[in-house]
């Protein structure tokens, strides 16, 4: 029921339809679905649910591999634009992990997943759809049952001592293709275009990524307020959390390192770069990662510590017409004036103002 092999060691967790766990839907993005890992009896809360593979608890229940402790399970969707899990995991180990200090990234454990196990997870997705509990825009797309791998990832969910928050830092530096004198960064330009073309009003959580690197405390506080307000499962004590996070963004090098790596891996832009090159794919991966934060509920709690990790670092390939999409998007942003704020279709409110429009 549990066999062993891995890209880094000889051990690998294998999940099949008879594994002593069930999965509970947590969230999903365009490429993956994330599940909580439950025991056959209840959500995992007891140490005796874990043990060596194949052993049993006192009441005869097969134990869950202890390497899954504190993990969530991520399964790949059946889409041509999504890289195979093994390829993405190998890229993470060989190209992403060495770029960052230890403890900066959501850890990944490569697992085997049989078609029968993935089919069980797909049945949960279909049940959610039938109950009206799955986002309409995600419906009709399911997990790849012919994908032999999955990844178990560090859980950054809230606990008794922490609130949790997540957001995408996006493009922390201007696009190399942007026109001189641009008034919007790449993220703000794209958001403005979508607000008009898709009739999308400003959203909670909208912010300018460039403000995460500013020394201006008021501007940084406004961005953090927007991020916290728009995050799934947003914490209630927003002002207290801003006071904890502001020193982190001022002094911790992780955000600056992420920006520098985005620039280093793609100094030329989509029109001049080879989108199938390892550096360019890495740059696009870093531009679409997620920052996860576990924030102490109380600033004076001496035991709870702020924990920040980058995740969702799945390989972004040009497959599935992605390269053409990237080029077409950049061309629209340039030719239609979204970078320079000279677009022909105007609106009074583009939401959170870009730092470039304020002289940043």
């Amino acid at each position: 029921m549990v066999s062993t092999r891995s890209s880094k060691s000889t051990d690998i967790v294998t999940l099949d339809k008879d594994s002593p766990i069930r999965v509970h839907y947590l969230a999903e993005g365009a490429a993956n679905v994330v599940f909580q890992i439950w025991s056959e009896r209840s959500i995992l809360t007891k140490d005796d649910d874990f043990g060596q593979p194949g052993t049993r608890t006192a009441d005869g229940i097969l134990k869950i591999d202890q390497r899954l402790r504190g993990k969530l399970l991520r399964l790949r969707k059946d889409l041509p634009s999504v890289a195979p899990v093994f390829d993405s995991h190998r890229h993470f180990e060989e190209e992403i992990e060495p770029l960052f200090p230890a403890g900066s990234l959501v850890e990944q454990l490569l697992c085997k997943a049989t078609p029968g196990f993935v089919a069980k997870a797909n049945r949960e997705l279909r049940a959610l759809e039938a109950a009206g509990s799955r986002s309409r825009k995600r419906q009709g797309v399911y997990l790849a049952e012919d994908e032999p791998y999955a990844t178990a990832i560090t859980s950054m969910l809230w606990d008794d001592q922490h609130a949790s928050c997540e957001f995408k830092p996006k493009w922390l530096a201007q696009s190399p293709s942007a026109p001189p004198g641009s008034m919007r960064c790449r993220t703000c330009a794209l958001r403005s275009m979508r607000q008009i073309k898709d009739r999308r009003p400003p959203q909670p959580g909208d912010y300018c990524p460039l403000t995460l690197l500013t020394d201006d405390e008021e501007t940084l506080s406004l961005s953090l307020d927007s991020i916290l307000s728009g995050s799934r499962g947003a914490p209630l004590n927003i002002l207290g959390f801003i006071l904890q996070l502001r020193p982190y963004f001022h002094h911790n090098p992780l955000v600056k390192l992420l920006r520098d790596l985005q620039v280093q891996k793609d100094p030329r832009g989509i029109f001049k770069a080879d989108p199938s090159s390892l550096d360019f794919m890495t740059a696009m991966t870093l531009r679409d990662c997620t920052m996860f934060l576990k924030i102490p509920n109380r600033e004076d709690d001496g035991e709870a510590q702020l924990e920040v990790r980058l995740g969702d670092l799945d390989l972004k390939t040009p497959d599935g017409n992605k390269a053409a999409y990237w080029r077409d998007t950049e061309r629209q942003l340039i030719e239609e004036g979204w970078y320079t704020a000279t677009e022909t279709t105007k609106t009074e409110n583009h939401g959170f103002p870009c730092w470039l429009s304020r002289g940043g």
Side-chain angles (χ1 to χ4, degrees):
M1 200 167 302
V2 178
S3 63
T4 56
R5 200 174 60 79
S6 165
S7 56
K8 269 192 173 179
S9 72
T10 58
D11 294 336
I12 188 166
V13 177
T14 296
L15 304 168
D16 61 34
K17 62 182 179 61
D18 297 319
S19 294
I21 70 170
R22 54 194 178 94
V23 293
H24 178 70
Y25 175 89
L26 179 64
E28 65 182 293
N32 301 282
V33 182
V34 177
F35 296 88
Q36 288 179 293
I37 301 171
W38 288 30
S39 73
E40 292 285 4
R41 298 174 298 175
S42 62
I43 191 166
L44 294 178
T45 55
K46 298 179 180 178
D47 285 346
D48 63 7
D49 279 337
F50 293 93
Q52 295 302 314
T55 60
R56 295 181 180 271
T57 62
D59 53 3
I61 301 296
L62 277 167
K63 288 189 175 184
I64 296 170
D65 195 300
Q66 59 188 341
R67 288 169 290 179
L68 298 178
R69 186 197 306 271
K71 298 288 197 298
L72 303 171
L73 189 66
R74 187 177 61 193
L75 299 173
R76 179 178 74 82
K77 290 185 176 179
D78 190 8
L79 293 169
S81 60
V82 182
V85 171
F86 188 86
D87 292 350
S88 188
H89 184 74
R90 183 173 57 185
H91 177 260
F92 173 80
E93 286 189 340
E94 295 179 358
E95 303 297 333
I96 300 293
E97 224 175 0
L99 299 174
F100 292 92
S104 300
L105 305 180
V106 171
E107 296 175 356
Q108 296 188 14
L109 174 69
L110 188 68
C111 303
K112 278 274 194 178
T114 67
F117 181 85
V118 180
K120 285 203 304 184
N122 269 332
R123 286 196 289 273
E124 175 162 353
L125 293 182
R126 290 185 170 90
L128 288 171
E129 289 185 10
S133 301
R134 191 182 184 200
S135 170
R136 185 175 297 275
K137 72 176 182 178
R138 303 296 187 195
Q139 293 183 13
V141 177
Y142 304 103
L143 303 169
E145 295 183 11
D146 59 350
E147 167 59 70
Y149 293 99
T151 46
I153 58 175
T154 307
S155 174
M156 293 293 287
L157 297 177
W158 61 272
D159 55 36
D160 291 342
Q161 292 181 301
H162 297 85
S164 63
C165 171
E166 63 183 74
F167 71 98
K168 286 189 175 289
K170 288 295 186 180
W171 294 51
L172 290 165
Q174 178 61 296
S175 167
S177 310
S182 290
M183 300 297 287
R184 296 188 186 115
C185 69
R186 204 276 186 175
T187 302
C188 290
L190 182 61
R191 181 171 63 239
S192 295
M193 182 176 75
R194 287 177 172 170
Q195 284 175 356
I196 299 301
K197 293 191 172 185
D198 301 340
R199 298 183 179 180
R200 173 188 178 273
Q203 302 290 309
D206 286 348
Y207 77 103
C208 173
L210 304 189
T211 60
L212 297 180
L213 296 155
T214 179
D215 293 326
D216 185 276
E217 286 199 357
E218 181 179 0
T219 298
L220 178 59
S221 296
L222 288 172
S223 292
L224 293 174
D225 180 82
S226 183
I227 288 168
L228 291 166
S229 300
S231 178
R232 178 173 56 86
L236 297 177
N237 182 19
I238 290 180
L239 178 58
F241 292 140
I242 289 174
L243 294 177
Q244 292 188 66
L245 290 174
R246 200 165 56 196
Y248 173 86
F249 282 95
H250 274 321
H251 303 299
N252 192 284
L254 182 58
V255 179
K256 295 182 178 65
L257 174 60
L258 181 59
R259 175 202 59 192
D260 293 345
L261 289 170
Q262 291 178 359
V263 173
Q264 175 187 328
K265 298 296 182 180
D266 175 31
R268 305 175 65 198
I270 183 61
F271 297 127
K272 297 179 180 179
D274 174 4
S276 62
S277 70
L278 186 57
D279 275 355
F280 187 83
M281 290 190 292
T282 299
M284 296 306 286
T285 299
L286 296 174
R287 288 163 172 161
D288 198 42
C289 68
T290 299
M291 179 167 278
F292 296 90
L293 304 99
K294 290 181 68 173
I295 313 167
N297 288 319
R298 292 174 47 203
E299 190 175 2
D300 60 353
D301 189 334
E303 295 183 5
Q305 300 292 321
L306 174 65
E307 183 178 359
V308 181
R309 293 177 184 262
L310 299 176
D312 290 342
L313 288 157
D314 304 309
L315 177 63
K316 296 296 180 291
T317 73
D319 300 338
N321 293 321
K322 275 289 187 66
Y325 169 77
W326 293 332
R327 290 192 186 97
D328 289 346
T329 299
E330 189 75 354
R331 190 172 291 109
Q332 287 181 71
L333 295 177
I334 295 170
E335 294 179 355
E336 296 176 13
W338 298 104
Y339 276 123
T340 54
T342 56
E343 65 274 10
T344 55
T345 306
K346 291 287 185 179
T347 182
E348 293 183 1
N349 184 13
H350 280 301
F352 201 99
C354 184
W355 184 235
L356 292 181
S357 70
R358 292 174 281 168

